[in-house]
Amino acid sequence: MAVPTPPARPTGDRPDHLLVVDDEPTVRELLRTALRYAGFDVDAAATGREALELAARRAPDLVLLDVMLPDMDGFEVIGRLRAQPRAHHPGRGGDVPVLFVTAREDRQALLHGLRIGGDDYLTKPFDLEELIARIHAVLRRTRGEQTARITVGDLELDPDGHQVTRAGRNVRLSPTEFRLLRFLMTNAGRTMSKSQILQSVWEYDFGGDAGIVDTYISYLRRKVDGGEPKLIHTVRGVGYVLRGPRP
């Protein structure tokens, strides 16, 4: 299929730097060529070790990561990547985003990848237009906007510092968990449907797997709703709502 025409970029803007990690030479070269044509600056690696070396030398804005690699799986790569100081972008409010691109159809494995810090995934074979749209969506939402602190009950979210506290206790969230919580807190008291959450948090205006919303809601509940009072509630058949404790 034809590669989408790259969007116009203001003069002087630095192109987003992507790191493609895939052990299949044909796929790796296809991605490198297509993404460069789409306006990205692209490095490519065939192994996990090579990917970590490239990321240490030059921190990417986003990593396209295959799960099945010859030396280590993608889950180990992301764990090591998160531990590299240069993989952290404090100005963006989070760790370098990771988008899994894999032939593996094991949903539980893919959800595990999201749970340990991945931001999104596509399964092979994939559509290049959708891949590029996902990349842009992940980059937009991980950069985010700086806003004032949001407080609901004893839950406080600081967008500038990318920090969350519940009853004064720090809560560590992945970038996607943080965006979901911010969306729910910004709309506190309003029931949000899964489609609204997908469109606002994942920016899927072309459809998406609503099951990912349920998965991330469960992650948030374990991290911020372990005690009482509960703040995240299910509205059966509709969606989810975050609301403060009732008087």
Side-chain angles (χ1 to χ4, degrees):
M1 57 160 286
V3 178
T5 302
R9 182 180 298 278
T11 302
D13 271 16
R14 178 185 67 83
D16 290 310
H17 173 49
L18 308 184
L19 174 57
V20 173
V21 188
D22 196 298
D23 66 328
E24 297 182 39
T26 303
V27 173
R28 191 169 61 251
E29 189 56 36
L30 169 66
L31 290 174
R32 176 159 40 193
T33 302
L35 293 173
R36 282 178 175 170
Y37 182 77
F40 297 104
D41 178 17
V42 184
D43 280 339
T47 66
R49 184 178 300 278
E50 184 183 359
L52 294 171
E53 291 173 353
L54 287 171
R57 289 200 298 265
R58 184 184 179 203
D61 294 302
L62 181 143
V63 179
L64 280 165
L65 181 60
D66 192 5
V67 171
M68 303 299 291
L69 297 171
D71 54 345
M72 63 183 82
D73 65 30
F75 305 140
E76 183 177 353
V77 173
I78 193 174
R80 295 191 183 189
L81 181 64
R82 296 296 189 208
Q84 288 185 354
R86 294 195 63 186
H88 189 69
H89 296 258
R92 276 213 318 254
D95 292 321
V96 57
V98 174
L99 195 162
F100 285 114
V101 180
T102 178
R104 180 179 288 186
E105 297 180 354
D106 185 344
R107 178 178 172 81
Q108 291 306 311
L110 289 169
L111 291 178
H112 172 68
L114 297 174
R115 187 166 58 250
I116 64 175
D119 292 272
D120 204 348
Y121 68 86
L122 277 175
T123 54
K124 300 174 185 176
F126 53 82
D127 182 273
L128 282 174
E129 288 187 352
E130 181 178 0
L131 172 63
I132 291 169
R134 294 277 187 104
I135 290 171
H136 283 301
V138 170
L139 287 171
R140 282 196 304 269
R141 70 185 187 237
T142 52
R143 283 168 177 151
E145 302 87 17
Q146 295 184 337
T147 57
R149 291 172 181 261
I150 309 170
T151 302
V152 178
D154 59 358
L155 180 64
E156 184 172 300
L157 182 145
D158 175 11
D160 291 349
H162 198 78
Q163 293 181 336
V164 173
T165 60
R166 177 82 196 264
R169 178 182 60 86
N170 287 329
V171 179
R172 183 174 177 82
L173 299 179
S174 72
T176 303
E177 291 166 349
F178 186 89
R179 290 189 301 273
L180 175 57
L181 181 61
R182 180 170 62 179
F183 176 70
L184 293 175
M185 292 181 71
T186 301
N187 293 280
R190 297 174 56 198
T191 299
M192 310 308 296
S193 68
K194 292 181 184 179
S195 62
Q196 286 176 308
I197 295 172
L198 276 173
Q199 184 171 353
S200 297
V201 178
W202 280 267
E203 300 190 16
Y204 290 170
D205 54 2
F206 48 82
D209 182 1
I212 198 172
V213 176
D214 300 323
T215 299
Y216 270 90
I217 288 289
S218 71
Y219 296 163
L220 274 186
R221 280 177 163 153
R222 286 201 296 268
K223 292 184 177 183
V224 306
D225 251 1
E228 295 290 343
K230 304 297 184 186
L231 300 180
I232 302 173
H233 304 273
T234 301
V235 180
R236 194 169 300 279
V238 182
Y240 297 98
V241 59
L242 186 147
R243 56 173 176 258
R246 300 186 183 280

